[in-house]
Amino acid sequence: TIAQGGPDPLANPPSTYLSTAPPSSTNNRKPAAILPPPPPPPCARVGCYNLGSLDKRCSKCLVASYCCVECQREHWPAHKKQCKVNRRFELSKQTEEYLFGLRVNFGAYFDRIFACNEEGFERYSALFEKLGNIGFELERGINSITAGVLMILRSYRDREKLEALAKLTGRDEGFDDRALHLEAMRSLVPLLEEAYAAGDGVTEEEVLDGVMALGTAHMWMEEWDECKACYKRAEEGFVRLLGED
């Protein structure tokens, strides 16, 4: 990310989000309309096929959702470890500011955060819309953007949302938030595999493309063993599909 010394994906940005804003753009954006509430995710307890309730989320991590108190109590021993991982999760300040700017969709944030880069803003907005309502508060809380992003990563099991998040945080099309991009790809690949196994409109080639992308995400984070394992799996799969040549 920019905060970690990486290149800024936007043209001519302010040096930091607190620096003096660039000259005002001609955009006349208004605050975003109230978005519909996010849909209920599946109940987190393995073996339960009911939808969970956003009002019955784990009070500690605000991510795991349940259909009833009984499911939450039964799932706690299995959820306990992941709960700690969820609570340690933090968005980079850069990504949080970008997502907040896209959420409020307001001219002042466009000038300050997106540096009047209309093309970048429109590209990011199209991907952001696929995430749905991910919250509207900074830092941590039940309505926070952090909790909303975690719900996409851990709870919804929604390929479209994860694909949009992966693109939005990627090096080429997005914010270049490599840590969050890796998290998105880690969650996306198992869903591609499940859809392929179930004959749900995903080809083996698409799965292998996902594995390659996951390998690249590991490479960006300098996780070389994981990168090599993904590339090897993808290579073997493509050789099987396409032949040695």
Side-chain angles (χ1 to χ4, degrees), residues 30-73:
K30 304 297 182 183
I34 296 176
L35 296 174
C43 179
R45 184 179 71 80
V46 176
C48 179
Y49 300 101
N50 295 325
L51 289 177
S53 169
L54 294 174
D55 295 328
K56 293 184 175 68
R57 278 188 270 179
C58 172
S59 61
K60 296 178 180 292
C61 70
L62 307 175
V63 176
S65 298
Y66 300 93
C67 63
C68 62
V69 173
E70 289 73 19
C71 276
Q72 184 171 6
R73 287 174 179 164

Side-chain angles (χ1 to χ4, degrees), residues 157-169:
R157 299 178 56 79
D158 186 309
R159 293 205 315 266
E160 184 179 47
K161 291 179 185 294
L162 285 167
E163 286 169 354
L165 184 62
K167 287 182 179 179
L168 195 59
T169 55

Side-chain angles (χ1 to χ4, degrees), residues 88-125:
R88 289 197 298 267
F89 176 87
E90 291 184 4
L91 284 177
S92 74
K93 291 298 181 184
Q94 182 74 42
T95 293
E96 188 178 46
E97 280 282 319
Y98 279 178
L99 292 175
F100 185 70
L102 289 166
R103 174 66 176 83
V104 297
N105 197 22
F106 186 55
Y109 284 101
F110 172 77
D111 290 340
R112 182 165 65 84
I113 299 174
F114 294 95
C116 306
N117 181 357
E118 184 75 38
E119 181 181 353
F121 183 89
E122 293 302 327
R123 182 174 72 250
Y124 295 167
S125 294

Side-chain angles (χ1 to χ4, degrees), residues 198-210:
D200 189 17
V202 173
T203 66
E204 185 176 3
E205 186 173 354
E206 288 174 317
V207 173
L208 295 174
D209 284 339

Side-chain angles (χ1 to χ4, degrees), residues 67-235:
C67 63
C68 62
V69 173
E70 289 73 19
C71 276
Q72 184 171 6
R73 287 174 179 164
E74 186 174 338
H75 189 241
W76 173 244
H79 173 61
K80 187 175 182 179
K81 183 177 180 179
Q82 184 62 54
C83 185
K84 292 180 180 179
V85 174
N86 291 343
R87 280 179 278 160
R88 289 197 298 267
F89 176 87
E90 291 184 4
L91 284 177
S92 74
K93 291 298 181 184
Q94 182 74 42
T95 293
E96 188 178 46
E97 280 282 319
Y98 279 178
L99 292 175
F100 185 70
L102 289 166
R103 174 66 176 83
V104 297
N105 197 22
F106 186 55
Y109 284 101
F110 172 77
D111 290 340
R112 182 165 65 84
I113 299 174
F114 294 95
C116 306
N117 181 357
E118 184 75 38
E119 181 181 353
F121 183 89
E122 293 302 327
R123 182 174 72 250
Y124 295 167
S125 294
L127 292 170
F128 181 79
E129 288 178 5
K130 295 182 180 180
L131 302 183
N133 189 334
I134 62 169
F136 52 86
E137 295 176 349
L138 298 175
E139 298 183 357
R140 200 99 183 184
I142 196 166
N143 295 313
S144 68
I145 291 171
T146 295
V149 168
L150 267 172
M151 294 281 289
I152 292 174
L153 292 173
R154 312 275 194 253
S155 297
Y156 279 114
R157 299 178 56 79
D158 186 309
R159 293 205 315 266
E160 184 179 47
K161 291 179 185 294
L162 285 167
E163 286 169 354
L165 184 62
K167 287 182 179 179
L168 195 59
T169 55
R171 187 173 67 173
D172 298 325
E173 297 183 58
F175 304 157
D176 197 16
D177 186 337
R178 303 182 187 195
L180 184 53
H181 177 74
L182 176 58
E183 289 282 349
M185 290 307 306
R186 278 175 171 158
S187 296
L188 176 60
V189 168
L191 296 188
L192 293 173
E193 293 170 333
E194 290 176 15
Y196 169 67
D200 189 17
V202 173
T203 66
E204 185 176 3
E205 186 173 354
E206 288 174 317
V207 173
L208 295 174
D209 284 339
V211 173
M212 282 284 290
L214 176 58
T216 300
H218 280 299
M219 180 181 69
W220 288 345
M221 294 297 292
E222 300 185 0
E223 296 178 354
W224 305 116
D225 290 342
E226 294 87 347
C227 171
K228 291 176 183 177
C230 288
Y231 282 171
K232 180 179 179 181
R233 177 187 168 190
E235 180 183 16

